[in-house]
Amino acid sequence: MTAALVAAGLGIIPGTAQAADPVPVAAGVAEAIAKAATSEGFHSPADRTIRTTLPGAATANGKANAKTAAPQTAQAAQAAQTVQPAAAAADAGANPALAVDVSGTSYTAHGIELTTLITSADFALGVVIDWGDGKTDTVTAQGNAELHHSHTYDKSGEYQVKVTVTDTANAVQAVNGGAFLTPGSDFTPHTPTRLLDTRDGTGALAADKVAGLGSVRVKVAGNAAVPAGVTAVALNVTVTETVESGYVTAWPGAGYERPGTSNLNYTAGRSVPNLVIVPVGEDGYVELYNGGPASVDLIADVTGYFTRASAGGYTSMTPARFVDTREGLGASQGRLAARSAFTTQIGGLQGVPQGITAVALNVTVTEPGGPGHLTAYSGAGPVPTASNLNFVPGQTVANAVIVPVAADGTIKVFNGSWMPAHVVVDVVGYYSKESKAAFLPFTPFRTLDTREEAYGWPGGRFRAREYITQGFTPEAATGVEAYVLNTTVTETGGTGFLSVAPSPYALPVEGGPAAPAGPRPGSSTLNWTAGTTVPNLVQASDGDHGVITFWNQGYQDADLVLDVFGVYQSK
């Protein structure tokens, strides 16, 4: 069977698959979400309380009660107010100790848990919580009190949270609060722009390869119009000029421990690209580590970035095919001509709305007549100098791509080769201002490696024409839209491709019968040939049941490695 037949889901005769035992990863995901989400918060102690004596006075010290005091003008009422620290309020009526301690802790990408500790004499109190987004909660309390409230913001950002406690009987008010920064970040698309190329010294100290077991730093914040304060970046990383096998790991760099996961794997003589979504270090850099023994060249192109400024949230989709030049779907039938581009409509088709800012794709090239590259870009823009995937004659290559979308809902794909090639485009999700899911990065961790009897895996290869299910979303993790995964297929026995899709069924009860397979997907995530190691980023929905299915669509066994890098969460 040729690479052309298996590319992106065609040429395989449907068969019956028997699932391997499902692999539970929800506990690790729950821990990762909790750790990532609780990194932000604030605490404003009681001694920062601002007390205000309201117009009127408490009857306890002989002053006029607010209900019976003579009418005041607005100017007189304003003049009657005084602001004083809580500790200096001994003469402020019958409740001189009134104070508020406020703590805000994050628990999801957009969620805050607020703890309010009130110090007060035994009087009835009114409490107003202003969340800083135009929404408030109003409750009552009596004397000393501990209150707990939660709130979910619609978008990422910084919000000024304020708690106001009013003692009407004594005409005194106490206010405290702080600034809350959501852990989740929103996406801004970026015209593909080269940040690093060690072949010519772009973004590096000199034109020099990255040594084996060495690394190179890439400046992100403040570079190529990427703003300061960026929390994560989408990079298309390419390794080239390889003479031995190895891998590349991206991480925030200085001050962070390099994870034991990989972002892309390579073999001798191959140029391998992969999309990487990685947190940016506090110094504005990310670092790329060459895990191979020999020197390589590395290229990094920015395609978008994440900030806590309200921008585009993410909406996932079951992968849907939008373009296949072999069939004339979404573009003219026939191979895309050399040094030319096609325009295709994304917005307004197959459930993707108009007005989106960017789209998450899996782009596949197959049957290329010569070496070259593909570049995906906005339908309204010029061809960028950056590339999304590279290929050699006859090779089938897939790569994840995030592309800005023009106002009319179109994108373009350019064939940078001097020979024609077929192109397949699958849509896996999109970004828009109406989408609410924000990106919450994890410290990456491995959930599956079929080469090892670990990760809850009973052992054995990823069998041909079969599938593996993983339960991802724990009960405690609400509002999960999609997971950012890195899939790697290795030790391949022949030609094939991987499909990733949400399962329409829940995981089986322990000891019960296996869940049905569900429909075999028609889209591809990555393609391989015999003896290769191929990675690709996946932004995968886990559907209504928190379960993702991984299909070996080839006719020979292989091994599968899964790493988790983060989650899109709407709450």
Side-chain angles (χ1 to χ4, degrees), residues 82-127:
T82 60
V83 177
Q84 52 189 320
D91 61 346
N95 198 359
L98 183 65
V100 191
D101 180 292
V102 182
S103 296
T105 304
S106 56
Y107 66 100
T108 62
H110 282 160
I112 179 175
E113 292 278 4
L114 194 71
T115 300
T116 303
L117 303 178
I118 300 174
T119 302
S120 173
D122 190 21
F123 290 100
L125 306 171
V127 181

Side-chain angles (χ1 to χ4, degrees), residues 147-169:
L147 307 178
H148 297 274
H149 295 84
S150 61
H151 183 69
T152 300
Y153 294 99
D154 289 336
K155 301 296 291 182
S156 301
E158 182 177 86
Y159 297 91
Q160 297 296 325
V161 179
K162 183 176 70 173
V163 178
T164 302
V165 178
T166 303
D167 177 356
T168 303

Side-chain angles (χ1 to χ4, degrees), residues 15-21 463-468 513-515 517 520 551:
T16 301
Q18 175 60 49
D21 292 337
R463 295 191 293 272
R465 306 298 295 157
E466 297 190 6
Y467 61 92
I468 294 172
R520 184 179 293 274
W551 294 78

Side-chain angles (χ1 to χ4, degrees), residues 28-76:
V29 170
E31 181 181 351
I33 290 177
K35 185 176 180 180
T38 54
S39 60
E40 304 293 340
F42 72 89
H43 176 222
S44 188
D47 60 9
R48 296 181 184 173
T49 302
I50 301 299
R51 288 173 50 97
T52 302
T53 301
L54 301 176
T59 57
N61 60 6
K63 297 180 182 179
N65 186 280
K67 294 182 179 180
T68 59
Q72 296 178 299
T73 65
Q75 293 81 357

Side-chain angles (χ1 to χ4, degrees), residues 397-456:
V397 181
N399 197 28
V401 180
I402 300 177
V403 188
V405 176
D408 63 356
T410 61
I411 65 167
K412 294 180 179 178
V413 178
F414 174 75
N415 176 13
S417 172
W418 294 100
M419 298 293 289
H422 278 301
V423 179
V424 180
V425 178
D426 296 318
V427 174
V428 301
Y430 57 87
Y431 299 86
S432 72
K433 293 186 180 300
E434 286 69 38
S435 301
K436 294 184 178 181
F439 179 56
L440 187 66
F442 300 158
T443 298
F445 64 96
R446 185 151 291 173
T447 70
L448 176 67
D449 187 336
T450 59
R451 300 168 299 181
E452 301 180 15
E453 292 187 9
Y455 314 102

